[in-house]
Amino acid sequence: YARAIGFSIRKSDFKMFDSEIVKYRKWVCSCEGERNPKWKNLQNRQREAKPDFRTNCEACFRIKYKTIGD
């Protein structure tokens, strides 16, 4: 859907059960949030930083795995 509309997505949060089954997964627009300032101001950078296109977009979707007892 995102590609058809014209934007890209990236993986975000997830949680797992003890049995290593993913309980919850969230995908967000690639423009969601802000990059951590520690990566913007890195002193010993070996290559040039990639441009930051994040604009605090709130587009996201979540998938939750529910068992019959939940």
Side-chain angles (χ1 to χ4, degrees):
Y1 172 78
R3 187 176 296 159
I5 298 300
F7 64 94
S8 60
I9 61 172
R10 61 185 167 84
K11 294 177 186 177
S12 185
D13 299 339
F14 75 96
K15 292 183 182 174
M16 297 181 85
F17 288 111
D18 293 335
S19 60
E20 297 183 5
I21 297 174
V22 176
K23 179 178 183 179
Y24 165 94
R25 169 62 84 181
K26 179 179 175 185
W27 285 269
V28 296
C29 173
S30 57
C31 295
E32 186 267 342
E34 293 181 353
R35 187 172 287 165
N36 191 330
K38 114 178 168 180
W39 299 114
K40 289 182 182 179
N41 304 322
L42 193 62
Q43 298 297 323
N44 299 342
R45 189 175 300 278
Q46 293 182 1
R47 57 185 159 182
E48 189 174 330
K50 294 180 180 178
D52 188 10
F53 295 107
R54 295 188 187 180
T55 59
N56 289 321
C57 177
E58 295 182 9
C60 70
F61 72 96
R62 297 176 185 98
I63 295 177
K64 184 175 182 179
Y65 177 81
K66 290 183 82 173
T67 58
I68 295 173
D70 286 346

